[in-house]
Amino acid sequence: MLAGNSIGKEFTVTSFGESHGKIVGAVVDGCPAGLRLAEADVQAELDRRIPVKPKIVSGRIEKDKAQILSGVFNGFTTGAPICMMVENKEADSSDYEAIKDLPRPGHADYTAHIRYGGFNDYRGGGRFSGRVTVALIMAGAVAKKLLRAVDADVLAYTKSIGKIKMDRTPSFEEIQKRRYETAVRCPDLACAEKMEEAIVNARKEGDSLGGVIECIALNVPAGVGEPLFDSLDADMAKALLAVPAVKGVEFGAGFGAAELKGSENNDAFRVQGGKVVASTNNAGGILGGLSSGMPIVVRVAVKPTPSIAKEQHTVDVAKMKDAAIKVKGRHDPCVVPKAVPVVESAVAIVLADHMIRAGLIAKVLKERK
Ligand SMILES: Cc1cc2nc3c(=O)[nH]c(=O)nc-3n(C[C@H](O)[C@H](O)[C@H](O)COP(=O)(O)O)c2cc1C
């Protein structure tokens, strides 16, 4: 049994399925009744997973077809659990038999083998595969629709790949319009080209790259969050660190705040148009675990893809001997582009949960009926 597959208190998401099993999917419970929801909404989000350029992603390009099995009637959510899934049609397990006793360095093969006594489905990384993030994207599609019903939104984009950085801050409009136009999901077209080149070069060398994704949530009213342990930032960090390959999370000035003085880091308040705003946003829109009303800004560090073609040292866990491994199969030379909609979804799921807990979403749905 794998416990720990659900997240959320009032808007809950349970993820199920393995990379090379029959299906992957999610059950969303606690979605208020009366939200217009169609398979096409979920499909549109799923389609964002796969950048159009096969050069920079794995050969596993699945034409996933979203299915909603329950919780929707006559085009609206009913308030019952929403079960969503896609079939795994493109799974090819042949490369995994040869390395089933050779844990890939950097992947979860060794830790899963120990934890589940060898019974875990190792094919394609099983539960630990990036493929499982499809569940987050499907649940995120519901969460995003809920947020948009109250005029909030979540946008993520690629900030850096390896050492190539987008060092200016794009406008919300630019992120919204351009992020899915480039294969790497970076809204700066010139920077995106350099990022693509870096990924192609890493792949040629049998290697991989990581990067940074920034996510911005807009129009979240002040006061959302449940301190202490369900602080908005704590819950977001938990959801984001559950995304495979995410190794770090920071809000606003993040680790940079450690080098600032209080006078530099504090976001001075002022009144603008009858509302309290801050002149800067080093806090990333969260103070004391509660939203401040400023945009929520969170960044995640994504590590380089563990499965690489270069030879590496490992062990044979059956023979308990040192061994070497060259990972074959269809792997992304950089998972950042595919992880952009996943990060967006993880943040949207946590926000939907907290905004329902704050009584902000159910009320609006009723009013709009
Ligand atoms: C969208 C996405 C796609 C991924 N694709 C691959 C892949 O093709 N090959 C691989 O080795 N790891 C891939 N990963 C990363 C592994 O799943 C991850 O590194 C592994 O489960 C170990 O977990 P950890 O890095 O969080 O410790 C992907 C991750 C994501 C989010």
Side-chain angles (χ1 to χ4, degrees), residues 54-366:
K55 267 195 302 187
I56 65 151
V57 292
S58 76
R60 185 172 176 182
I61 297 181
E62 305 218 357
K63 304 238 173 344
D64 284 323
K65 197 180 165 318
Q67 297 182 48
I68 300 179
L69 305 180
S70 67
V72 176
F73 179 58
N74 285 337
F76 289 90
T77 55
T78 61
I82 304 166
C83 182
M84 293 172 286
M85 54 148 274
V86 298
E87 284 177 46
N88 289 325
K89 287 192 172 148
E90 295 277 317
D92 174 2
S93 309
S94 55
D95 289 316
Y96 289 90
E97 283 311 311
I99 58 163
K100 81 178 171 53
D101 296 323
L102 305 177
R104 289 168 291 171
H107 215 291
D109 303 339
Y110 174 69
T111 47
H113 175 78
I114 297 296
R115 172 68 175 81
Y116 305 108
F119 286 102
N120 58 298
D121 183 350
Y122 52 79
R123 300 167 303 163
R127 268 308 270 165
F128 300 89
S129 165
R131 172 90 185 134
V132 173
T133 60
V134 161
L136 272 179
I137 293 188
M138 287 192 285
V142 182
K144 281 185 196 173
K145 286 213 83 176
L146 278 175
L147 295 179
R148 286 177 194 144
V150 293
D151 301 321
D153 210 348
V154 181
L155 312 171
Y157 69 96
T158 299
K159 189 100 187 148
S160 69
I161 298 274
K163 296 206 163 71
I164 315 283
K165 294 189 177 72
M166 178 179 178
D167 44 20
R168 64 184 180 85
T169 307
S171 68
F172 301 134
E173 293 71 28
E174 188 182 2
I175 304 171
Q176 208 152 25
K177 190 159 169 265
R178 300 231 181 272
R179 72 207 145 122
Y180 286 111
E181 274 181 18
T182 68
V184 288
R185 290 17 185 147
C186 174
D188 184 303
L189 305 185
C191 195
E193 255 179 56
K194 286 188 204 148
M195 290 174 173
E196 266 184 53
E197 209 180 291
I199 296 175
V200 170
N201 287 339
R203 171 175 253 176
K204 274 191 205 143
E205 290 162 14
D207 223 324
S208 61
L209 289 176
V212 172
I213 298 171
E214 182 165 89
C215 185
I216 302 171
L218 297 171
N219 293 336
V220 177
V224 175
E226 302 292 336
L228 196 60
F229 295 113
D230 294 353
S231 291
L232 195 56
D233 44 359
D235 274 359
M236 277 187 191
K238 178 171 178 163
L240 287 167
L241 286 167
V243 175
V246 168
K247 287 287 136 181
V249 179
E250 62 174 10
F251 293 85
F255 273 65
E259 291 176 13
L260 299 178
K261 292 183 176 154
S263 56
E264 295 166 322
N265 186 54
N266 292 343
D267 302 310
F269 291 115
R270 62 189 162 82
V271 176
Q272 187 181 291
K275 278 178 67 182
V276 174
V277 295
S279 309
T280 51
N281 193 17
N282 288 324
I286 302 180
L287 290 165
L290 297 163
S291 58
S292 69
M294 293 294 287
I296 294 172
V297 182
V298 54
R299 278 178 300 280
V300 299
V302 180
K303 75 184 196 185
T305 318
S307 302
I308 53 174
K310 265 192 178 158
E311 186 167 293
Q312 300 171 88
H313 288 287
T314 187
V315 290
D316 185 319
V317 287
K319 298 182 186 144
M320 282 308 276
K321 279 171 74 176
D322 285 353
I325 185 170
K326 278 185 182 179
V327 183
K328 289 194 206 141
R330 301 168 299 173
H331 296 283
D332 299 301
C334 177
V335 309
V336 171
K338 274 192 189 169
V340 166
V342 182
V343 164
E344 235 173 60
S345 296
V347 170
I349 288 165
V350 174
L351 277 175
D353 184 37
H354 276 278
M355 284 174 74
I356 290 173
R357 288 168 79 174
L360 291 166
I361 290 186
K363 200 167 140 226
V364 171
L365 285 178
K366 237 193 222 156

